[in-house]
Amino acid sequence: MVAPLRLGLAGLGTVGIGVVKIVQRHADLITTRTGRPVVITAVSARDRQKNRDADLSAYAWETDPVALAQRDDVDVFIEVMGGHDGPARAATEAAIAAGKDVVTANKALLAHHGQALAEAAEAAGRVIRFEAAVAGGIPVIKALTEGLAANGIKRVMGVMNGTCNYILTRMQSAGLPYEVVFEEARQLGYLEADPNLDVGGIDAGHKLSLLAAIAFGTKVSFDAVELEGIGAVSIDDIRHAEDMGYRIKLLGVAQLSGRGLEQRMTPCLVPSASPLGQLQGGTNMVVLEGDSVGQIVLRGPGAGEGPTASAVMADVLDIARGIRLPTFGQPAATLATPIAAKSATPAPYYLRMTLLDKPGALAKIATCLGEAGISIDQMRQINQPGDEDDDAIVLFVTHKAAPADISHALSHFAATGVLVGDPVAIRIEEV
Amino acid sequence: MVAPLRLGLAGLGTVGIGVVKIVQRHADLITTRTGRPVVITAVSARDRQKNRDADLSAYAWETDPVALAQRDDVDVFIEVMGGHDGPARAATEAAIAAGKDVVTANKALLAHHGQALAEAAEAAGRVIRFEAAVAGGIPVIKALTEGLAANGIKRVMGVMNGTCNYILTRMQSAGLPYEVVFEEARQLGYLEADPNLDVGGIDAGHKLSLLAAIAFGTKVSFDAVELEGIGAVSIDDIRHAEDMGYRIKLLGVAQLSGRGLEQRMTPCLVPSASPLGQLQGGTNMVVLEGDSVGQIVLRGPGAGEGPTASAVMADVLDIARGIRLPTFGQPAATLATPIAAKSATPAPYYLRMTLLDKPGALAKIATCLGEAGISIDQMRQINQPGDEDDDAIVLFVTHKAAPADISHALSHFAATGVLVGDPVAIRIEEV
């Protein structure tokens, strides 16, 4: 029998305890599948006294995760503490410096420091694995890095924040405004301590930047993700979109244009009948498009003890089996695809605006669109029952238009003097 | 630069040419991702003169795939000829004996000889990889073997024959009977030369048996798959199922019961709103359920040049990267989970029958069900407009019942003397 693979587990929250349970429950299964026992030797967490749902008595305790990462009896350092600086970063760096492999669920850490960590790990001959950092239990890092390795990747899309998808689908099904559902989600414990990580799209943007690095051979570039959260999505737009056969999702999209990698994490309309459109509640979905394989859709739980621990342990089992790849699927030094300053890929857009009841109002708007080179695929005027004035809501679905042309048209709407309030423009991602 | 990985490609049909195109188009990408050039050195096919959509002039030609498999300048033997005996088997065995790794798209070969081939490969220190053999471009073998390796697998389900799903969804959408759509599919070239491989469920059964071996640690046991094709699925049942919120799919299910592994490839009802129910046309879907991860759904193209070649090349890239696992994810000698003689896992059933217009007819049927221990969840009686006699179609959805109890009840229906024709019973798989 070969020597066991020894794990040092930093973080004993939900995910950490999930890892403990798998290691304990499936010791035999893991040994059969990897040919090598996998054991936990030491753990760390802030509060040793806290009551936890697992028997930790056999494991050495470290208060400091850096000390854990440096222990001689640890081969793989598992970081499930979270936080993109502070102890998580220090301990991960210490682990690599001490010659340990690293498995992490920490998307923020890698989104901010992934390139430097990957370079350090590769220089030290160690691996950093992060299946759990993206889309929870869905083995999407593996599918993209290995399963689709022979493809030029054309586009990666994903609904990767379950809380946002819960809020948007609940708004739709219950007909409730954002603020009400946000409060529901808070009370249900679905939101991060800083809710903007969820509803601001930051958490999902972190994940997108990691997928994009693998898919397109770029350095992780979270700062280049065009981020827009769901706070401005109105129940009106959800309803109008549904009437026209679309649903609104916080959708991440990464693709190459002539100017380099584009990354967006923004509300988008997607066809209601598409797999993305059908996705309800907290479930995650990632869509991978390759030049040979076409479109692959992966769907599953994006969070929670079991799913996230499953992903952490998949990485551990890979290490036990001797599977060793560069962090982002190719050597960090070769990650060189340029990043586009701003999205330029055309798409249809959904536009909503309220027009004053003035002669020629619609013509003025249509002229703005025409002058920006935008042609109209569908137009609907909606009379508001019970509305005392005669202002009209007008919806457009445009043909494909460049984002800059949409911005240009919107900036000229104001000068027409026929709009009430601000117009809304939401990209329609063709899926 | 390390030495290139040299491929010998046996079979120059659709998939083989797809492999050639990827190797030629993505030489740089592959080298970047694997750290090693991947080249084709030699090919074989029956007809050298045939006009093919690729430049093969740089490759040595072998008429005999066995000779190809034994060439000194081949490291990996790629078998995309097909057929579960004959040249495919002989060449695969020769490749292993000659110390080559094997990548195959041949589900029939592995379903029939997988255990012996796996044992031979492992004894020789070689690998056999077969991502392309199951669900085309979907990286499901990898997701199951590696991505979900830390899970006890609870159930594997799949719609894995695109032709059958095309036929069933076309019947539904066009309201056409099986025979008409079968003929359409034949004319569109969707059917194998022996259509029973498709519509008899054999092809999909092969795939299920391979997934089951990995998921549950059994020897591949295609002979133990309960097979039922789609030839008896009637447009009436498709319509009635739709009315009750279900769709009919040729669904593979593998799961453990107390008596061992159960494998079924049969028409099933699934909820219309589920991912499986939503699956239209030739697309494939595999559902993996693990004790930690919960439910993962994978969707993508199940056939075709690009998708299948993508999967073949994923295996090649794994080998180039040094990823080497036992064929079925654990050593072939440890594949020992018992196989159940027959499915015993209870499920709800859909029952359709035509009752004579006799007093007490329904009571007699209900008595048969009750005596078999089957309770009824829903019952509908449908009057047939324009039907001159007053026979009635009666539909039942039962509560969960054991397959043996359903068989028992059906066998007693005949003696009641109140049925017109044979009753139909279709399992409802809860997804």
Side-chain angles (χ1 to χ4, degrees):
Chain A
M1 182 62 79
V2 293
L5 185 73
R6 300 165 301 174
L7 312 179
L9 176 62
L12 292 169
T14 305
V15 179
I17 294 302
V19 168
V20 170
K21 288 180 184 171
I22 292 178
V23 170
Q24 293 179 351
R25 183 170 69 238
H26 283 317
D28 291 346
L29 188 74
I30 290 169
T31 305
T32 300
R33 287 181 177 164
T34 66
R36 185 173 184 188
V38 171
V39 299
I40 295 171
T41 48
V43 299
S44 77
R46 266 175 298 194
D47 178 1
R48 186 166 188 174
Q49 305 312 319
K50 190 172 162 187
N51 198 9
R52 294 185 171 91
D53 180 27
D55 177 3
L56 307 173
S57 58
Y59 312 142
W61 181 276
E62 295 280 357
T63 309
D64 178 3
V66 171
L68 177 73
Q70 293 169 328
R71 285 177 68 101
D72 286 341
D73 60 0
V74 165
D75 302 309
V76 179
F77 177 68
I78 301 180
E79 191 275 287
V80 288
M81 299 181 286
H84 69 77
D85 278 303
R89 182 181 181 189
T92 301
E93 290 173 346
I96 294 164
K100 317 297 186 187
D101 293 323
V102 172
V103 173
T104 179
N106 193 330
K107 60 227 71 166
L109 176 70
L110 290 176
H112 287 281
H113 308 296
Q115 180 69 20
L117 289 169
E119 289 175 5
E122 290 167 32
R126 311 321 301 173
V127 298
I128 300 175
R129 304 293 305 264
F130 57 97
E131 186 64 83
V134 180
I138 305 175
V140 60
I141 300 293
K142 184 167 280 285
L144 182 61
T145 314
E146 303 169 40
L148 269 56
N151 285 260
I153 301 298
K154 301 174 77 169
R155 186 169 58 162
V156 172
M157 297 186 288
V159 171
M160 297 183 288
N161 183 282
T163 302
C164 288
N165 203 50
Y166 166 80
I167 290 175
L168 293 173
T169 53
R170 170 88 177 134
M171 285 171 70
Q172 182 192 2
S173 62
L176 292 170
Y178 174 78
E179 292 72 18
V180 172
V181 179
F182 176 89
E183 195 49 39
E184 278 185 6
R186 186 203 294 276
Q187 287 176 10
L188 289 164
Y190 289 179
L191 284 159
E192 299 269 357
D194 173 5
N196 196 45
L197 289 176
D198 287 315
V199 299
I202 296 169
D203 166 80
H206 288 154
K207 297 167 182 167
L208 182 70
S209 71
L210 300 178
L211 291 179
I214 299 167
F216 301 105
T218 60
K219 292 182 171 60
V220 183
S221 304
F222 168 66
D223 291 343
V225 177
E226 296 172 40
L227 270 188
E228 185 187 324
I230 62 170
V233 175
S234 82
I235 181 67
D236 290 340
D237 289 318
I238 288 177
R239 285 183 181 138
H240 296 317
E242 182 78 15
D243 288 344
M244 293 193 289
Y246 295 100
R247 300 221 169 105
I248 300 181
K249 299 288 171 190
L250 179 67
L251 184 68
V253 182
Q255 65 193 144
L256 287 185
S257 71
R259 293 189 285 179
L261 174 67
E262 300 183 358
Q263 303 171 95
R264 296 179 293 277
M265 181 57 69
T266 64
C268 286
L269 270 64
V270 296
S272 301
S274 66
L276 283 166
Q278 295 281 325
L279 191 71
Q280 300 286 313
T283 307
N284 281 19
M285 181 173 284
V286 181
V287 179
L288 306 174
E289 295 177 346
D291 60 357
S292 289
V293 80
Q295 189 183 75
I296 300 289
V297 180
L298 311 172
R299 179 187 192 278
E305 176 183 306
T308 312
S310 166
V312 167
M313 288 303 297
D315 284 341
V316 169
L317 268 65
D318 269 5
I319 292 171
R321 282 165 155 171
I323 297 177
R324 304 185 70 80
L325 301 183
T327 308
F328 298 106
Q330 63 187 64
T334 67
L335 295 163
T337 304
I339 311 288
K342 213 162 180 346
S343 280
T345 302
Y349 277 78
Y350 160 94
L351 306 177
R352 173 175 61 88
M353 62 203 74
T354 303
L355 293 191
L356 289 174
D357 180 29
K358 280 189 181 174
L362 186 59
K364 286 183 179 170
I365 294 301
T367 301
C368 286
L369 291 171
E371 285 175 355
I374 298 165
S375 62
I376 297 164
D377 181 35
Q378 291 185 55
M379 197 278 282
R380 291 190 187 188
Q381 179 166 333
I382 296 170
N383 295 314
Q384 302 180 87
D387 195 355
E388 301 239 331
D389 57 40
D390 288 322
D391 300 343
I393 294 173
V394 178
L395 309 176
F396 294 96
V397 171
T398 74
H399 285 293
K400 276 191 186 181
D405 292 338
I406 294 289
S407 298
H408 184 256
L410 293 181
S411 70
H412 282 69
F413 283 174
T416 62
V418 300
L419 284 197
V420 182
D422 289 328
V424 169
I426 309 178
R427 187 179 176 96
I428 301 177
E429 194 69 29
E430 297 187 309
V431 298
Chain B
M1 181 64 77
V2 293
L5 185 72
R6 300 165 301 174
L7 312 179
L9 176 61
L12 292 169
T14 305
V15 179
I17 294 302
V19 168
V20 170
K21 288 180 184 171
I22 292 178
V23 171
Q24 293 180 350
R25 182 170 71 237
H26 283 319
D28 291 346
L29 187 73
I30 291 170
T31 305
T32 301
R33 288 180 177 165
T34 66
R36 186 175 183 187
V38 171
V39 298
I40 295 171
T41 47
V43 299
S44 77
R46 268 175 297 194
D47 179 0
R48 186 165 188 174
Q49 305 311 321
K50 190 172 160 187
N51 197 9
R52 294 185 171 91
D53 179 26
D55 178 5
L56 307 173
S57 58
Y59 311 143
W61 181 275
E62 296 280 357
T63 309
D64 178 3
V66 171
L68 177 73
Q70 294 170 327
R71 286 177 66 101
D72 288 339
D73 60 0
V74 165
D75 302 310
V76 179
F77 177 68
I78 301 180
E79 191 276 288
V80 288
M81 299 181 285
H84 69 77
D85 278 304
R89 183 181 180 188
T92 300
E93 289 172 347
I96 293 165
K100 318 298 187 187
D101 292 323
V102 172
V103 173
T104 179
N106 193 328
K107 59 227 72 166
L109 175 70
L110 291 175
H112 287 280
H113 309 296
Q115 180 68 21
L117 290 169
E119 288 174 7
E122 290 167 32
R126 311 321 303 172
V127 298
I128 301 176
R129 304 294 305 265
F130 56 98
E131 186 64 82
V134 180
I138 305 176
V140 60
I141 300 293
K142 184 166 281 284
L144 182 60
T145 313
E146 303 170 39
L148 269 55
N151 286 260
I153 301 298
K154 301 174 78 169
R155 186 169 58 162
V156 172
M157 298 187 287
V159 171
M160 296 184 287
N161 182 279
T163 303
C164 287
N165 204 50
Y166 167 82
I167 290 174
L168 292 173
T169 52
R170 170 90 176 131
M171 286 171 70
Q172 182 191 3
S173 61
L176 292 169
Y178 174 78
E179 293 71 20
V180 172
V181 179
F182 176 88
E183 194 49 39
E184 277 185 6
R186 186 202 294 277
Q187 288 176 11
L188 288 165
Y190 290 179
L191 285 158
E192 300 270 356
D194 173 5
N196 196 44
L197 288 176
D198 287 316
V199 298
I202 297 169
D203 167 81
H206 287 154
K207 295 167 184 170
L208 182 70
S209 70
L210 300 179
L211 291 180
I214 299 167
F216 302 106
T218 61
K219 293 183 172 59
V220 183
S221 305
F222 169 66
D223 292 344
V225 177
E226 295 172 40
L227 270 188
E228 185 187 325
I230 62 169
V233 174
S234 82
I235 181 67
D236 290 339
D237 290 318
I238 287 177
R239 285 181 182 140
H240 296 317
E242 182 79 15
D243 287 344
M244 292 193 290
Y246 295 101
R247 300 220 169 106
I248 300 181
K249 300 288 170 189
L250 179 66
L251 185 67
V253 181
Q255 64 193 146
L256 287 185
S257 72
R259 293 189 285 177
L261 173 67
E262 300 183 358
Q263 304 171 93
R264 295 179 293 276
M265 180 58 68
T266 64
C268 286
L269 270 65
V270 296
S272 300
S274 66
L276 283 165
Q278 295 282 326
L279 191 71
Q280 300 286 312
T283 307
N284 281 18
M285 181 173 285
V286 181
V287 179
L288 306 174
E289 295 176 347
D291 60 356
S292 288
V293 79
Q295 188 183 76
I296 300 289
V297 180
L298 311 171
R299 179 188 194 277
E305 176 183 305
T308 313
S310 166
V312 167
M313 288 302 297
D315 284 342
V316 169
L317 267 66
D318 269 5
I319 292 171
R321 283 166 153 170
I323 297 176
R324 304 184 70 80
L325 301 183
T327 308
F328 297 106
Q330 63 187 66
T334 67
L335 296 163
T337 305
I339 312 288
K342 213 162 180 345
S343 279
T345 302
Y349 277 79
Y350 159 96
L351 306 177
R352 173 175 60 88
M353 61 204 75
T354 304
L355 292 191
L356 288 173
D357 181 29
K358 280 188 182 174
L362 186 59
K364 286 181 180 172
I365 293 301
T367 301
C368 286
L369 290 170
E371 285 175 356
I374 298 166
S375 62
I376 297 164
D377 182 35
Q378 292 184 55
M379 197 277 283
R380 292 190 187 187
Q381 179 166 334
I382 295 170
N383 297 314
Q384 302 180 85
D387 194 355
E388 303 241 330
D389 56 39
D390 289 323
D391 299 344
I393 294 173
V394 177
L395 310 176
F396 295 98
V397 171
T398 75
H399 285 293
K400 277 191 186 181
D405 292 338
I406 294 290
S407 299
H408 183 257
L410 293 180
S411 71
H412 283 66
F413 283 174
T416 61
V418 300
L419 284 195
V420 181
D422 289 330
V424 169
I426 309 178
R427 188 180 175 95
I428 301 177
E429 193 70 28
E430 298 187 308
V431 299

